[in-house]
Each structure stands twice: as structure tokens, then as C-alpha cells.
Amino acid sequence: MKSEFLEKAVFYEIYPTSFFDSNGDGVGDVRGMIEKIPYLKSLGIDGIWLNPLFVSPFKDGGYDIADYYRVDPRFGTNDDLKEFFEKTKECGIRVLLDLVMGHTSVEHPWFLESQKAEKNEYTDAFIWQHGSEPLNNKNGKCISGWAERPDMFMINFYVWQPALNYGFRKPKAKWQNAPHDDAPMKNRQRLIDVCKFWLSLGASGFRVDMANFMVKNDTPSHRANQEFWIDVIGRIKREYPDSVFVSEWFYPPQAVGKSAFDIDFNYGGPLYKVWGQKTIADSHKKCFFGEESSSAYYFAANQMFRLFHHGVKGKGYQAITVGNHDTERMAEGRSFDGMKTMMAYHFTAPHVPFLYYGDEVGMNYQFIKTKDGGYNRTGSRTPMQWTEGKNRGFSETDGALYLPVEDANGRSVAAQENVPDSLYETVKRFIHLKKELDCLRVDAQFTVLKGRFTGRPLLYRRRSERDECYVLVLPKKSKKKVRLSFLKNGAFESLTGNLKIENNIAITENGEAFGVFWKKRT
Ligand code: BGC
Ligand code: MG
């Protein structure tokens, strides 16, 4: 649904273990997040997405939950979280929790019951295939040799993440339920109960993990999952009409256009990073906002962006992320000018921008050993760098930190705050502009004026009834001159990075530059 809040909103993703440690145990916690509310407020964000912070053995960074109703003691208590909801709300910030209900942890009491030989209330709460065929058979990944009962259970991700049973779109075997059978419907109700519990404590919505994979055997149309969420979100919104649901689906026309989500992620593909490259640095170089920027990347990114934009128009939103807890940090292989140019696009294109904690100061991806099931994602989950001092201001502990911080290198809030043109100040400026300017609303006109097919240079206009702005982005390191004829038509205020304007011509000596020029219309 269209929402005034989402038209202008900017979201900030926090990995709670690594944001701020208030009690000196080397691990981030909810009280630490409460202490940092003034920071979040001054950054100007409107919403927060918290990665899971529920009771968990942390074999997949908390995406393996053992109790949906309780904050894990490493972070504090439910009361702390409630206080966080209340205090953020006072600042106009809404908090989304991570809803991970496609699977539980093997330590969840529902699963401990389900795996028993004796029949009980939870026997069919998970997907059990009879027998012990090998892993990875045609019906999904199944684990044998674990349970007391003579069956194997289907997993969604790691071995310790058994899939909850929401049924199969077209059941083909006796052990498969249809989505409206008794056991799947009971799980559906359990999911709704969990959502309502947290909404009643003050959460504002959810980012939904693996949302297109609740009902199985549903590709490529995902029709059964669409039906599932239309029912679930519909029932929740009857009581909480303003709640926000963000899906991890990666196909906005399906998740938003045809289902009930408010926002779906568009990973940004060839725009910010190209998957499947040999090295991490390569994937960040070979994309539109990378050192090896080319028109092919732009063309692909633009096609995708437009397809999604039209697919969700009037119904909801797409969100591009510059990075998250599953990807390498955006700083990898990028200069500060490159990052600022990318942010210029990120905050002025018609979508709901998400920002991953630490990217506002360009924290690096660290090549470190896995922790809590992060594997190669661990390097993007290191403690927030607040200062250049001890533990980078994350914790007072003299002992070990959850994960190492980088050596002091200017990539911290203290080093960049109040430094004109720093990445931090640039991002902050964009976040505030996104709120202040009507022409940056998602529903404001978006017209590409130069570089429609090549993106080189890329010049576009955003326009509302009240104001308009022109955005020039030059992601490639090269000398460039671009005539900006619109500058003749009135007084524009401008925000530029690494760009000189002479006689209405934008000039950059070394590329990786941007300009945003805006003026009132009425
Ligand atoms: C989350 C991952 C997690 C996986 C399994 C993903 O989409 O973002 O961090 O490992 O789901 O829950
Ligand atoms: Mg702590």
C-alpha cells in the first residue's frame, strides 16, 4: 500500500551484536542501542531494521531461533527492547524486527517435540520425509540420522535450521501437506501470534526472512506464498494498520505488486555489485558504481530498476541496499569519492533507501575467521567504529571483543563528524534532503535526461509540484565535462562532490563525482 511514511523514509540496519556495548562484556546490547538513539536521530533515519535478537544458539547469527518471544540474554531483556521501541518512537523512528519463521533452530521446543517418536502436538509442525534418503534429494534438503522418529527433516539453510511446515503448493507425496491443511494452518497462526506479540510491545513491523520460501514447491510464480502473505499480513494489518512488512524476496513485482508486502528488496545487482565474480573486490569493481563501470552494467541495472519500479507502482515500494549483513561491505574496492557518488544515487532514486550500520563511515570488510555461523559474512559484521580510540569506542572492555575492529584509519564517526565533505557528512546530508524535499519522494517524477541506455554520463530529474532536482552521477574514474543546460533556467542550490561548475558545464578531473541541483517550482 502507498504510505506517506514510506514515501520519504530512510531505513538503517543494525546488527545488534556489533552496534554498541553498554555493559563492557565485549558484545553489543539493547541498552547500547538505547544510548545511541541521539546518534540515530541526528543521522536522520526514519526506520530501523534489527537483525534477530531472540534466544538462539547463534549457529547462523541468530537466524536460528529457539524462542520467538524472548530477547537473548546476550542483548538484555524484553523490557530493554520495549524501552528501545518507546524511545525511538518518541523521535519518530520506527523499528522493524527480523521475522525468521520459515525455520527454527533445532533447539526450539517445537522441534524438540516434533522429532520425538511419540505423536504429539508438534509432530507435523516441521516437514518430515519418511525414510532416510540421502541429503539434497529432489524434494529439498533433508537431514537424516538426527531425530528419534524414523524420518528426515527438511532444512531451509544450515543443517540446524529445520523448515516449519506451511505446506506444499501441489503436494505430491503423503508426507507433504497442502497449505490449508491443519498442521500448516496451525503454524500460520503461530506466526501471526508472534507478530502480534511484538507489535503489541511497540515494534512497527518486520523484515521477513526468506519470505518467498514458506510454502514449498512454489517456483517460479510463488503464487502460494503470495496467497500466504496476503492472508497473514491482511489479518495483522486489521489490528495494526500502520505496521510495515519488508520482504526478502528479491522480486518486487511478486512480493509487493502481487502480494501484500510494503517493500521488497532489490539487491541492486549490476548497480552496486556484480555477483559471481572471482574475488570480492572484483564484484565491487565490475558494476555501474565500480572502478570498471561500463554501460552494460548500467543498462542491466536500469532495466531491472524500471521493471521493478513499474511492478510496484501505487502498491508499494522497492528498496535497494548498498550492502547488508549477508554481503561484503560496500567500501570493498571503492574509494571515498566512489562511495559518495553511489550514495548520491542511492538517496535520490525513487525507492526506499536502506543503509547498513557502519557504511556511513565506510567501514571496511574484514577478512577474518567465521563466528556464529557467519562464514564469509562475518567480515561485514564487525563492531561499529564510533571513535579512533580504544575498541573504536564500541566497548570499554579490556577483554576480547565479539569481533575485531579495524586499526584506527579515519573510518569512524568521530573522525568524520563535522568534517565537510566526509562520507559521513555527505550521507547525513542526503538523508536529511530525502526528508525535506518533495521531489525526492518515491512518487515524484523520475526522468532520465542523459545516459538512458549507457548511464555515461547519467543525468536525471526528480520533480514534484513544489520543487525539482537534477542529479548527475559520474561513477567512472575519468576526466569528464557535462553541459548542464538546465542551470540557465533559474537559481539552483547545489550539493556537489569532486565537481567544478564553470559556465553551466560540470567538470571533473578524476571522475567519481556527483552533483545535485535543486530549486523550488512554486
Ligand atoms: C538471512 C541470512 C540467514 C538466512 C537463513 C537470510 O536471508 O539474511 O543472514 O542466514 O536467511 O535464515
Ligand atoms: Mg554488552
Side-chain angles (χ1 to χ4, degrees), residues 49 51 60-61 63-64 98 100 103 156-158 161 207 209-210 248 250 267 324-326 373 377 381:
W49 154 26
N51 292 113
D60 180 16
Y63 282 87
D64 47 329
D98 216 312
V100 192
H103 48 270
N156 273 352
F157 199 61
Y158 291 148
Q161 287 163 310
R207 171 269 187 188
D209 194 62
M210 299 176 75
E248 187 195 36
F250 299 121
Y267 243 143
N324 70 16
H325 66 290
D326 289 332
R377 306 170 296 182
R381 300 174 177 185

Tab-separated table of all heavy atoms in Angstrom, residues 49 51 60-61 63-64 98 100 103 156-158 161 207 209-210 248 250 267 324-326 373 377 381, ligand 1:
chain	number	residue	atom	x	y	z
A	49	TRP	N	15.950	-1.484	10.961
A	49	TRP	CA	15.725	-2.924	10.841
A	49	TRP	C	16.766	-3.582	11.746
A	49	TRP	O	17.960	-3.412	11.535
A	49	TRP	CB	15.858	-3.361	9.380
A	49	TRP	CG	16.254	-4.794	9.161
A	49	TRP	CD1	16.039	-5.855	9.995
A	49	TRP	CD2	16.953	-5.328	8.020
A	49	TRP	NE1	16.550	-7.015	9.431
A	49	TRP	CE2	17.109	-6.723	8.236
A	49	TRP	CE3	17.444	-4.761	6.837
A	49	TRP	CZ2	17.762	-7.552	7.308
A	49	TRP	CZ3	18.086	-5.592	5.927
A	49	TRP	CH2	18.230	-6.961	6.161
A	51	ASN	N	18.516	-6.906	13.020
A	51	ASN	CA	18.715	-8.339	12.776
A	51	ASN	C	18.260	-9.089	14.031
A	51	ASN	O	18.145	-8.486	15.094
A	51	ASN	CB	20.189	-8.628	12.451
A	51	ASN	CG	20.597	-8.030	11.119
A	51	ASN	OD1	21.410	-7.114	11.065
A	51	ASN	ND2	20.003	-8.514	10.057
A	60	ASP	N	23.649	-19.438	13.223
A	60	ASP	CA	23.527	-18.655	11.990
A	60	ASP	C	23.193	-17.212	12.384
A	60	ASP	O	22.160	-16.663	12.005
A	60	ASP	CB	22.443	-19.242	11.066
A	60	ASP	CG	22.306	-18.431	9.767
A	60	ASP	OD1	23.211	-17.638	9.460
A	60	ASP	OD2	21.284	-18.593	9.071
A	61	GLY	N	24.070	-16.645	13.184
A	61	GLY	CA	23.933	-15.244	13.579
A	61	GLY	C	22.584	-14.871	14.172
A	61	GLY	O	22.143	-13.733	14.020
A	63	TYR	N	19.745	-16.230	13.215
A	63	TYR	CA	18.679	-16.629	12.277
A	63	TYR	C	18.257	-18.076	12.540
A	63	TYR	O	17.674	-18.739	11.693
A	63	TYR	CB	19.131	-16.445	10.828
A	63	TYR	CG	19.060	-14.998	10.401
A	63	TYR	CD1	20.127	-14.125	10.619
A	63	TYR	CD2	17.906	-14.477	9.818
A	63	TYR	CE1	20.053	-12.789	10.264
A	63	TYR	CE2	17.818	-13.139	9.457
A	63	TYR	CZ	18.895	-12.306	9.681
A	63	TYR	OH	18.801	-10.980	9.339
A	64	ASP	N	18.621	-18.563	13.716
A	64	ASP	CA	18.247	-19.905	14.163
A	64	ASP	C	17.669	-19.691	15.560
A	64	ASP	O	18.394	-19.629	16.543
A	64	ASP	CB	19.482	-20.828	14.196
A	64	ASP	CG	20.698	-20.193	14.877
A	64	ASP	OD1	20.865	-18.949	14.825
A	64	ASP	OD2	21.483	-20.934	15.503
A	98	ASP	N	13.303	-8.679	12.830
A	98	ASP	CA	13.512	-9.678	11.785
A	98	ASP	C	12.602	-10.862	12.094
A	98	ASP	O	12.692	-11.456	13.172
A	98	ASP	CB	14.987	-10.106	11.794
A	98	ASP	CG	15.520	-10.372	10.407
A	98	ASP	OD1	14.843	-11.084	9.652
A	98	ASP	OD2	16.610	-9.868	10.092
A	100	VAL	N	11.896	-14.458	11.444
A	100	VAL	CA	12.554	-15.636	10.860
A	100	VAL	C	11.713	-16.846	11.212
A	100	VAL	O	12.008	-17.598	12.146
A	100	VAL	CB	13.990	-15.784	11.412
A	100	VAL	CG1	14.758	-16.821	10.597
A	100	VAL	CG2	14.719	-14.456	11.404
A	103	HIS	N	11.899	-21.222	9.398
A	103	HIS	CA	12.567	-22.320	10.107
A	103	HIS	C	12.821	-21.890	11.542
A	103	HIS	O	12.794	-20.699	11.858
A	103	HIS	CB	13.895	-22.662	9.432
A	103	HIS	CG	14.745	-21.457	9.135
A	103	HIS	ND1	14.659	-20.761	7.951
A	103	HIS	CD2	15.668	-20.798	9.877
A	103	HIS	CE1	15.497	-19.747	7.963
A	103	HIS	NE2	16.125	-19.723	9.124
A	156	ASN	N	16.012	-25.293	5.730
A	156	ASN	CA	15.957	-24.129	4.847
A	156	ASN	C	17.330	-23.575	4.515
A	156	ASN	O	17.528	-22.983	3.465
A	156	ASN	CB	15.144	-23.009	5.504
A	156	ASN	CG	13.672	-23.145	5.203
A	156	ASN	OD1	13.266	-23.990	4.393
A	156	ASN	ND2	12.856	-22.339	5.862
A	157	PHE	N	18.271	-23.749	5.446
A	157	PHE	CA	19.580	-23.141	5.210
A	157	PHE	C	20.647	-24.062	5.763
A	157	PHE	O	21.011	-25.025	5.122
A	157	PHE	CB	19.597	-21.733	5.836
A	157	PHE	CG	20.668	-20.832	5.304
A	157	PHE	CD1	20.710	-20.492	3.964
A	157	PHE	CD2	21.646	-20.305	6.155
A	157	PHE	CE1	21.716	-19.659	3.467
A	157	PHE	CE2	22.637	-19.461	5.672
A	157	PHE	CZ	22.677	-19.141	4.329
A	158	TYR	N	21.119	-23.834	6.980
A	158	TYR	CA	22.105	-24.748	7.560
A	158	TYR	C	21.400	-25.993	8.119
A	158	TYR	O	20.169	-25.995	8.270
A	158	TYR	CB	22.863	-24.075	8.699
A	158	TYR	CG	23.797	-22.959	8.281
A	158	TYR	CD1	24.016	-21.867	9.123
A	158	TYR	CD2	24.483	-22.998	7.075
A	158	TYR	CE1	24.885	-20.840	8.763
A	158	TYR	CE2	25.348	-21.978	6.705
A	158	TYR	CZ	25.543	-20.901	7.560
A	158	TYR	OH	26.400	-19.899	7.218
A	161	GLN	N	18.651	-25.702	10.859
A	161	GLN	CA	17.502	-24.811	10.636
A	161	GLN	C	16.346	-25.554	9.954
A	161	GLN	O	16.099	-25.403	8.755
A	161	GLN	CB	17.947	-23.594	9.820
A	161	GLN	CG	18.792	-22.636	10.668
A	161	GLN	CD	19.588	-21.660	9.839
A	161	GLN	OE1	20.279	-22.047	8.907
A	161	GLN	NE2	19.504	-20.384	10.166
A	207	ARG	N	10.981	-7.227	8.978
A	207	ARG	CA	11.673	-7.617	7.754
A	207	ARG	C	11.551	-9.136	7.754
A	207	ARG	O	11.883	-9.795	8.739
A	207	ARG	CB	13.134	-7.156	7.818
A	207	ARG	CG	14.024	-7.690	6.681
A	207	ARG	CD	14.679	-8.989	7.074
A	207	ARG	NE	15.645	-9.437	6.078
A	207	ARG	CZ	16.233	-10.630	6.113
A	207	ARG	NH1	15.977	-11.480	7.079
A	207	ARG	NH2	17.087	-10.965	5.184
A	209	ASP	N	12.326	-12.826	6.707
A	209	ASP	CA	13.379	-13.680	6.172
A	209	ASP	C	12.819	-14.696	5.169
A	209	ASP	O	11.806	-15.338	5.440
A	209	ASP	CB	14.001	-14.426	7.370
A	209	ASP	CG	15.314	-15.083	7.040
A	209	ASP	OD1	16.254	-14.359	6.681
A	209	ASP	OD2	15.387	-16.328	7.137
A	210	MET	N	13.498	-14.864	4.051
A	210	MET	CA	13.156	-15.891	3.046
A	210	MET	C	11.642	-15.974	2.801
A	210	MET	O	11.055	-17.064	2.787
A	210	MET	CB	13.690	-17.256	3.503
A	210	MET	CG	15.197	-17.269	3.667
A	210	MET	SD	15.863	-18.829	4.321
A	210	MET	CE	15.759	-19.901	2.910
A	248	GLU	N	12.219	-10.308	2.145
A	248	GLU	CA	13.416	-10.787	1.469
A	248	GLU	C	12.915	-11.760	0.404
A	248	GLU	O	12.698	-12.937	0.667
A	248	GLU	CB	14.341	-11.509	2.462
A	248	GLU	CG	15.651	-11.858	1.815
A	248	GLU	CD	16.469	-12.862	2.588
A	248	GLU	OE1	15.914	-13.793	3.198
A	248	GLU	OE2	17.692	-12.744	2.554
A	250	PHE	N	13.332	-10.497	-3.227
A	250	PHE	CA	14.163	-10.050	-4.348
A	250	PHE	C	13.436	-10.068	-5.680
A	250	PHE	O	14.047	-10.254	-6.719
A	250	PHE	CB	15.475	-10.851	-4.432
A	250	PHE	CG	16.318	-10.701	-3.206
A	250	PHE	CD1	16.686	-11.802	-2.450
A	250	PHE	CD2	16.725	-9.450	-2.774
A	250	PHE	CE1	17.441	-11.657	-1.304
A	250	PHE	CE2	17.481	-9.293	-1.633
A	250	PHE	CZ	17.837	-10.405	-0.894
A	267	TYR	N	18.354	-6.273	-4.814
A	267	TYR	CA	19.722	-6.265	-4.313
A	267	TYR	C	20.619	-5.199	-4.935
A	267	TYR	O	21.688	-4.905	-4.462
A	267	TYR	CB	20.385	-7.634	-4.495
A	267	TYR	CG	20.754	-8.275	-3.188
A	267	TYR	CD1	20.635	-9.644	-3.009
A	267	TYR	CD2	21.227	-7.511	-2.122
A	267	TYR	CE1	20.958	-10.238	-1.801
A	267	TYR	CE2	21.546	-8.099	-0.917
A	267	TYR	CZ	21.406	-9.462	-0.765
A	267	TYR	OH	21.728	-10.041	0.425
A	324	ASN	N	24.451	-5.366	3.174
A	324	ASN	CA	23.782	-5.769	4.410
A	324	ASN	C	24.611	-6.825	5.131
A	324	ASN	O	25.779	-7.035	4.778
A	324	ASN	CB	22.333	-6.207	4.136
A	324	ASN	CG	22.232	-7.526	3.393
A	324	ASN	OD1	23.192	-8.293	3.315
A	324	ASN	ND2	21.080	-7.807	2.846
A	325	HIS	N	24.012	-7.490	6.098
A	325	HIS	CA	24.759	-8.445	6.917
A	325	HIS	C	25.129	-9.715	6.150
A	325	HIS	O	25.846	-10.553	6.670
A	325	HIS	CB	23.921	-8.806	8.150
A	325	HIS	CG	22.672	-9.545	7.765
A	325	HIS	ND1	21.627	-8.933	7.106
A	325	HIS	CD2	22.330	-10.850	7.895
A	325	HIS	CE1	20.689	-9.835	6.856
A	325	HIS	NE2	21.079	-10.999	7.326
A	326	ASP	N	24.606	-9.872	4.948
A	326	ASP	CA	24.928	-11.046	4.129
A	326	ASP	C	25.902	-10.732	2.998
A	326	ASP	O	26.312	-11.633	2.266
A	326	ASP	CB	23.649	-11.614	3.481
A	326	ASP	CG	22.731	-12.300	4.485
A	326	ASP	OD1	23.234	-12.803	5.503
A	326	ASP	OD2	21.510	-12.322	4.238
A	373	GLY	N	28.407	-18.717	12.800
A	373	GLY	CA	27.833	-19.165	11.527
A	373	GLY	C	27.815	-18.108	10.434
A	373	GLY	O	27.061	-18.217	9.473
A	377	ARG	N	30.441	-13.926	5.656
A	377	ARG	CA	29.674	-12.719	6.003
A	377	ARG	C	30.182	-12.071	7.290
A	377	ARG	O	29.840	-10.940	7.615
A	377	ARG	CB	28.186	-13.076	6.144
A	377	ARG	CG	27.631	-13.787	4.915
A	377	ARG	CD	26.236	-14.362	5.159
A	377	ARG	NE	26.208	-15.402	6.179
A	377	ARG	CZ	25.109	-16.072	6.533
A	377	ARG	NH1	23.978	-15.801	5.946
A	377	ARG	NH2	25.149	-16.991	7.470
A	381	ARG	N	30.297	-7.930	9.757
A	381	ARG	CA	29.507	-7.850	10.995
A	381	ARG	C	30.366	-7.389	12.178
A	381	ARG	O	30.047	-7.666	13.329
A	381	ARG	CB	28.884	-9.224	11.286
A	381	ARG	CG	27.960	-9.696	10.179
A	381	ARG	CD	27.451	-11.109	10.385
A	381	ARG	NE	26.517	-11.486	9.319
A	381	ARG	CZ	25.837	-12.627	9.269
A	381	ARG	NH1	25.992	-13.526	10.238
A	381	ARG	NH2	25.017	-12.898	8.276
B	1	BGC	C1	19.375	-14.051	6.150
B	1	BGC	C2	20.651	-14.744	6.441
B	1	BGC	C3	20.321	-16.096	7.045
B	1	BGC	C4	19.337	-16.887	6.149
B	1	BGC	C5	18.719	-18.024	6.866
B	1	BGC	C6	18.841	-14.952	5.075
B	1	BGC	O1	18.198	-14.472	4.107
B	1	BGC	O2	19.531	-12.739	5.723
B	1	BGC	O3	21.505	-13.995	7.255
B	1	BGC	O4	21.489	-16.833	7.158
B	1	BGC	O5	18.310	-16.084	5.701
B	1	BGC	O6	17.811	-17.589	7.821
